[in-house]
């Protein structure tokens, strides 16, 4: 904290040195500062000042022997075009600042009307997703996974859908990022776990051959300290034996902090659920950790599966993943299998399980 405080003081000093006598510098809170540049008639007049600020803050700061690198993102709002009062101007500058931030370090960005629209449509999405969560507008569809040795369905993957009252049935592409951004993913994820376990449990009750259920867990859910309890809760309430639940995690979710991830995976293993790495091959995996993680399956990303027939790198990469998975003693699942040719290829190269439109699209339980 002490270093942080000193850094803020130094940042303020540098900003003041970069602006002109008549300008105003204020700290808004946290690491956010505001600068009021007075007597500016044209937008381009502010640029030399902005560049001075960005450059001076990019210089290394030494505090108590620590060398600190920092970078700045600047959002610019013009009066009166972008707002007629202080709060409108600050909001516009803030939106522009976030835009600058997302385009990289040390950038600036002028406010544009497009941002206003985006902010408004994001507001609308947030409101709609909150309502959807409260009213239960989400549904699960299920896609079978086929054992290539026996030809039997050995499991299904649960995939989330949103029945939007105006736009109809939406795939996760339209809303998962929103659920994460607005902090709703954990609540919806808990519902997914509960509903998926319940569904497969009801199939167990009527069918002879019990199948597994795959549930996707996003990086944010993986960081939820209550995740293990939620999984335990869902299993307990639905009386589903844990070995029938397979949690699907992506490489990036495991590899951002592999030590922590490893500890959590071992806890999951203790609960008795299976663990699969999803979209394997699209992120990057440390092979050391891969070896140490208690895994059960690798799912080859559909992009590789879909290019195995074409004369490119899909085949060799798919082969490598199968080899890696097999050598680690894991089940290897080919997802996104759409053609007989792809199926033949992945079967001949040692995949254990296949999933894709060739067999079935994800469907609601009542139509399966
Ligand atoms: P994923 O886990 O990689 O799921 C596979 C996606 O491929 C699904 O898309 C599925 O419908 C699609 N697919 C299956 N077979 C084929 C095929 O033969 N060809 C092609 N082109 N596509 C196929 P979907 O349902 O749109 O889901 C997209 C992603 O959203 C999922 O990718 C997963 O990452 C995420 N997701 C889905 N449900 C949940 C959920 O309950 N929780 C979380 N956190 N994420 C979810
Ligand atoms: Ca998946
Ligand atoms: Ca996948």
């Amino acid at each position: 904290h002490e270093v942080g405080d000193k850094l803020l003081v130094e940042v303020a000093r540098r900003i003041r040195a970069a602006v002109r006598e008549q300008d105003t510098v204020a700290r808004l809170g946290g690491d956010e500062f505001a600068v009021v540049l007075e007597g500016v008639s044209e937008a381009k007049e502010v640029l030399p000042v902005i560049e001075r600020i960005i450059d001076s803050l990019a210089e290394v700061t030494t505090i108590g022997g620590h060398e600190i690198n920092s970078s700045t993102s600047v959002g610019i709002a013009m009066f009166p075009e972008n707002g007629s009062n202080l709060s409108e101007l600050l909001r516009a500058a803030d939106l522009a600042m976030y835009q600058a931030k997302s385009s990289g370090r040390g950038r600036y960005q002028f406010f544009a009307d497009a941002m206003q629209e985006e902010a408004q449509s994001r507001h609308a999405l947030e409101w709609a997703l909150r309502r959807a969560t409260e009213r239960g507008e989400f549904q699960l569809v299920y896609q079978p996974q086929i054992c290539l040795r026996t030809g039997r369905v050995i499991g299904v993957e649960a995939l989330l859908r949103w029945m939007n009252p105006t736009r109809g049935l939406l795939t996760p592409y339209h809303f998962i990022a929103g659920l994460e951004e607005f902090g709703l993913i954990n609540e919806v994820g808990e519902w997914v776990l509960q509903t998926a376990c319940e569904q497969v449990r009801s199939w167990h009750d009527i069918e002879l051959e019990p199948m597994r259920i795959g549930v996707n867990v996003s990086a944010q859910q993986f960081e939820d300290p209550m995740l293990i309890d939620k999984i335990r809760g869902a299993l307990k309430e639905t009386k589903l034996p844990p070995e029938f639940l397979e949690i699907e995690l992506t490489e990036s979710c495991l590899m951002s902090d592999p030590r922590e991830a490893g500890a959590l995976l071992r806890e999951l293993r203790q609960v008795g659920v299976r663990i699969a790495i999803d979209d394997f091959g699209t992120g990057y995996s440390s092979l050391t950790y891969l070896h140490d993680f208690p895994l059960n399956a690798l799912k080859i990303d559909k992009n590789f599966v879909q290019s195995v027939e074409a004369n490119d790198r899909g085949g060799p990469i798919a082969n490598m993943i199968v080899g890696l998975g097999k050598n680690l003693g894991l089940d290897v699942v080919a997802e996104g299998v759409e053609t007989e040719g792809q199926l033949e290829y992945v079967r001949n190269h040692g995949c254990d399980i296949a999933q894709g439109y060739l067999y079935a699209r994800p469907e609601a339980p009542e139509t399966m």
Side-chain angles (χ1 to χ4, degrees), residues 157 216 248 278 299 335:
E157 177 177 2
N216 293 285
E248 297 191 6
D278 205 356
K299 299 188 81 177
E335 53 170 30

Side-chain angles (χ1 to χ4, degrees), residues 140-141 143 157-161 171-173 176 180 185 192 215-218 221 248 278-279 299 301-302 306 335-338 355-358 360 362:
L140 287 180
V141 289
Q143 187 179 38
E157 177 177 2
L159 295 158
L160 189 58
R161 296 290 180 266
T171 58
Y173 167 78
I176 287 269
E180 300 204 319
I185 190 75
V192 169
V215 172
N216 293 285
V217 167
S218 75
Q221 291 175 266
E248 297 191 6
D278 205 356
D279 304 340
K299 299 188 81 177
D301 188 68
K302 57 177 170 292
Q306 291 174 355
E335 53 170 30
V337 175
E338 290 183 358
Q355 180 183 350
Y357 294 168
L358 179 66

Side-chain angles (χ1 to χ4, degrees), residues 92-105:
D94 197 45
L95 282 168
M97 191 268 289
Y98 276 106
Q99 192 79 37
K101 211 173 190 169
S102 67
S103 66
R105 299 171 135 240

Side-chain angles (χ1 to χ4, degrees), residues 83-270:
S84 55
N85 57 42
L86 180 64
S87 66
E88 279 177 25
L89 281 169
L90 276 175
R91 220 170 69 80
D94 197 45
L95 282 168
M97 191 268 289
Y98 276 106
Q99 192 79 37
K101 211 173 190 169
S102 67
S103 66
R105 299 171 135 240
R107 305 280 177 90
Y108 62 81
Q109 175 79 51
F110 282 94
F111 176 80
D113 293 341
M115 290 174 195
Q116 184 81 37
E117 275 161 32
E118 197 201 307
Q120 271 160 1
S121 75
R122 285 227 318 236
H123 251 84
L125 177 66
E126 176 172 4
W127 180 80
L129 283 174
R130 288 194 187 283
R131 190 196 50 193
T133 310
E134 276 163 25
R135 293 195 189 162
E137 291 171 1
F138 293 105
Q139 307 176 354
L140 287 180
V141 289
Y142 300 87
Q143 187 179 38
Q145 300 182 322
I146 284 75
C147 171
L148 292 178
R149 208 168 31 80
T150 63
R152 295 215 169 97
V153 176
I154 58 152
V156 292
E157 177 177 2
L159 295 158
L160 189 58
R161 296 290 180 266
W162 175 18
M163 186 41 115
N164 183 288
T166 50
R167 293 164 68 198
L169 198 64
L170 300 178
T171 58
Y173 167 78
H174 299 276
F175 62 84
I176 287 269
L179 288 177
E180 300 204 319
E181 184 180 344
F182 310 128
L184 298 165
I185 190 75
N186 289 338
E187 189 177 340
V188 175
E190 187 176 4
W191 174 85
V192 169
L193 270 167
Q194 189 79 35
T195 309
C197 290
E198 215 167 273
Q199 182 61 61
V200 80
R201 171 74 223 202
S202 78
W203 283 328
H204 282 194
D205 289 345
I206 53 170
E207 262 169 62
L208 296 173
E209 250 170 304
M211 53 175 142
R212 301 200 278 257
I213 177 88
V215 172
N216 293 285
V217 167
S218 75
Q220 230 183 78
Q221 291 175 266
F222 194 60
E223 280 167 15
D224 176 7
M226 297 301 289
L227 177 68
I228 301 265
D229 285 343
K230 287 174 182 170
I231 291 173
R232 273 211 194 90
L235 291 170
K236 191 163 173 231
E237 227 163 281
T238 60
K239 300 194 180 67
L240 182 72
E243 64 270 25
F244 290 107
L245 175 61
E246 184 166 88
I247 301 293
E248 297 191 6
L249 299 158
T250 61
E251 284 168 284
S252 44
C253 152
L254 295 174
M255 294 299 167
S256 72
D257 186 349
R259 277 167 204 282
E260 189 127 326
L264 203 67
L265 291 185
R266 282 186 282 278
E267 259 189 86
L268 280 173
R269 170 53 60 88
Q270 289 252 301

Side-chain angles (χ1 to χ4, degrees), residues 256-313:
S256 72
D257 186 349
R259 277 167 204 282
E260 189 127 326
L264 203 67
L265 291 185
R266 282 186 282 278
E267 259 189 86
L268 280 173
R269 170 53 60 88
Q270 289 252 301
V271 176
V273 297
R274 289 171 54 94
I275 302 161
I277 301 195
D278 205 356
D279 304 340
F280 192 80
T282 58
Y284 66 93
S285 280
S286 153
L287 297 180
T288 316
Y289 285 109
L290 208 55
H291 177 258
D292 288 342
F293 287 160
L295 302 172
N296 301 89
L298 290 186
K299 299 188 81 177
I300 309 176
D301 188 68
K302 57 177 170 292
N303 284 313
F304 300 126
V305 172
Q306 291 174 355
S307 57
V308 294
E309 286 173 299
N311 217 355
D312 64 11
R313 299 202 180 89

